Every structure is written in C-alpha cells, then in structure tokens.
C-alpha cells in the first residue's frame, strides 16, 4: 500500500508570503496528524483530524495557520502570512486509530527567508 | 507538558561501537515509541514498547522500559554510518497524539 505522501518536499518562501502544505494519508486511515520540528527543537503536535473533523487543534501556534481536511481524505496546512520562525520541518502522520501505530510522511522542509 | 526528554543531546561514536540513548517522561503511559529522523527529513518508526513490557528487541535495536523510573533506553549495537540521525522517543497522550522529546543527535564516524 502507498504510504503517507507529503508535498512539496521543500519550500522556500519570503516572509509575508503564503504557503500551503499537503498531506495524503494512507487510504482508509481516519486519523491524520500534523507535527512540526522548528529550529532543530523538539517535534511538536499541531493538530489531529478524525475524518474531516478537527479532533484537537491545541497545538496550532496562532491564527496564521489553517488546516483543512476536505472530505476526510487529504489535508492541507496553510501558513499565511509566513514568518521567519515558521521555518522547520512539517510532518504529517496517519493511523487507523486505537492501538494501531502511526505512519509518518517524509516531511516538508519549509524555509522562510 | 514536556514528555520524553532524551539524553545525551548529542553522541558521536566510531562505526562498530554501540550507542545508548536515554529518555525520561513524566506521566503514566500506555506505550513508548522510538523514531529516527535522517538528514532533517521524515520520521521513521523504529520500535514500540508497551507499558507492561520491560525489554524489546528488533534487529540491532534493543529498547528497555522502566516504568518505576519513568525512563527508557535505546541501544543500537554494532553501529553503522547509516545510523547517523536524530533519535526521538515519544509517548502517547489523549487522542493518541504523540509527545516527543528534544531528541539525541547520533553521529557514527566511519
């Protein structure tokens, strides 16, 4: 089966611009998570979707970040406007839930200059 | 809350040596997982140990869990240059979200 796919793999944008990251989970996985690792620090939870609903968005840093999951399939994470401190690696993961483990995508490296 | 704090923060060893990384956490857990991140890219799941397990092996990896001390260790035996990466432990909180520590940067010199 295909894994979790993220794109772009790398994005370089200027401060103030908008960037949209996309994650395609494993087919049939209701749970989709976004995490990020900023400036080489710890990996932090951003939010959790169950199908198309936001189950937990407690980790979203501010209102410049908007996540959607259309029809419970792929998800997008939009940063608008991007700031320098948003640079880092953004990870997406999906799972069937319960005791099943996660599968992570290969991440999107975002560089804001 | 901060969980899964690793030590050391950085570790440099010669190829063939063993590498041990430690992780401590604060709250009760159902399981603890270890992940690897290569070259600032994707996270790869290495191993999961449940709270009722004390030790688990997978290839050259050995994980121990001490719930009384709220700590875990990851041992990589006979290290290879390809093991160079950042290693993270993670615990699971409500909603199955993972809480990661700061990670250990492992460098294996050939």
């Amino acid at each position: 089966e295909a894994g979790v796919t993220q794109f772009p793999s790398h994005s370089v944008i200027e401060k103030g611009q908008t960037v949209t990251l996309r994650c395609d989970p494993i087919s049939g996985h209701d749970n989709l998570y976004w995490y990020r690792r900023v400036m080489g620090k710890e990996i932090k939870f951003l939010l959790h979707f169950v199908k198309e609903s936001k189950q937990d968005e407690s980790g979203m840093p501010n209102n410049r970040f908007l996540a959607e999951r259309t029809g419970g399939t792929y998800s997008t994470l939009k940063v608008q406007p991007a700031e320098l401190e948003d640079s880092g690696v953004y990870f997406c993961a999906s799972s069937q839930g319960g005791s099943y483990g996660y599968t992570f995508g290969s991440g999107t490296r975002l560089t804001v200059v | 809350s901060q969980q899964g704090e690793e030590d050391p923060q950085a570790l440099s060893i010669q190829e063939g040596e063993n590498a041990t990384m430690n992780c401590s956490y604060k709250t009760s857990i159902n399981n603890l997982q270890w992940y690897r991140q290569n070259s600032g890219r994707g996270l790869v799941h290495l191993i999961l140990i449940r709270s009722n397990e004390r030790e688990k092996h997978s290839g050259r990896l050995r994980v121990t869990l001490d719930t009384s001390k709220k700590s875990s260790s990851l041992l990589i035996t006979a290290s290879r240059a390809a093991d160079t990466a950042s290693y993270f432990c993670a615990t699971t909180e409500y909603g199955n979200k993972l809480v990661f520590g700061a990670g250990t940067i492992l460098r294996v010199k050939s």
Side-chain angles (χ1 to χ4, degrees):
Chain A
E1 70 180 356
V4 176
T5 305
Q6 290 187 248
F7 51 93
S9 58
H10 193 182
S11 179
V12 181
I13 61 171
E14 293 185 350
K15 176 182 172 181
Q17 289 186 322
T18 297
V19 63
T20 300
L21 314 180
R22 173 167 168 152
C23 169
D24 286 60
I26 292 174
S27 179
H29 281 194
D30 288 340
N31 294 273
L32 187 149
Y33 303 81
W34 283 97
Y35 292 83
R36 72 172 182 175
R37 188 182 187 201
V38 173
M39 301 292 285
K41 296 182 179 177
E42 66 266 29
I43 300 165
K44 287 197 170 180
F45 166 83
L46 294 177
L47 86 159
H48 170 205
F49 283 100
V50 177
K51 297 184 180 178
E52 68 275 9
S53 300
K54 292 176 185 174
Q55 181 78 11
D56 180 355
E57 52 184 331
S58 61
M60 295 288 265
N62 52 60
N63 59 11
R64 294 186 294 104
F65 288 76
L66 176 63
E68 294 178 325
R69 190 179 182 193
T70 307
T73 56
Y74 70 90
S75 175
T76 57
L77 180 64
K78 181 190 289 186
V79 185
Q80 179 183 29
E83 298 289 344
L84 298 179
E85 63 264 25
D86 300 331
S87 295
V89 182
Y90 289 75
F91 301 101
C92 174
S94 71
S95 80
Q96 291 177 271
S99 60
Y100 292 95
Y102 289 67
T103 301
F104 277 86
S106 57
T108 294
R109 176 173 288 281
L110 174 64
T111 304
V112 183
V113 297
Chain B
S1 61
Q2 179 76 15
Q3 289 268 65
E5 299 181 9
E6 284 97 334
D7 76 88
Q9 291 184 328
L11 181 61
S12 183
I13 59 174
Q14 289 293 135
E15 201 165 28
E17 293 180 338
N18 295 342
T20 300
M21 289 160 270
N22 302 299
C23 165
S24 61
Y25 57 91
K26 293 183 173 64
T27 62
S28 297
I29 60 170
N30 291 324
N31 61 66
L32 185 144
Q33 305 176 49
W34 284 89
Y35 287 84
R36 181 185 70 219
Q37 184 192 16
N38 288 87
S39 304
R41 294 301 309 277
L43 282 170
V44 175
H45 179 263
L46 295 176
I47 196 165
L48 179 151
I49 186 165
R50 302 191 189 284
S51 59
N52 61 352
E53 297 176 310
R54 292 296 167 260
E55 187 171 311
K56 200 163 183 179
H57 297 252
S58 177
R60 294 184 296 111
L61 305 179
R62 182 173 78 97
V63 170
T64 62
L65 179 65
D66 187 336
T67 52
S68 66
K69 294 180 180 178
K70 290 187 167 56
S71 67
S72 173
S73 68
L74 171 67
L75 168 68
I76 303 174
T77 60
S79 64
R80 305 167 181 167
D83 295 329
T84 295
S86 293
Y87 291 81
F88 300 88
C89 70
T91 55
T92 307
E93 284 193 354
Y94 173 76
N96 268 347
K97 71 182 183 187
L98 295 174
V99 180
F100 291 87
T104 294
I105 300 171
L106 174 65
R107 181 185 172 207
V108 181
K109 295 177 282 187
S110 55

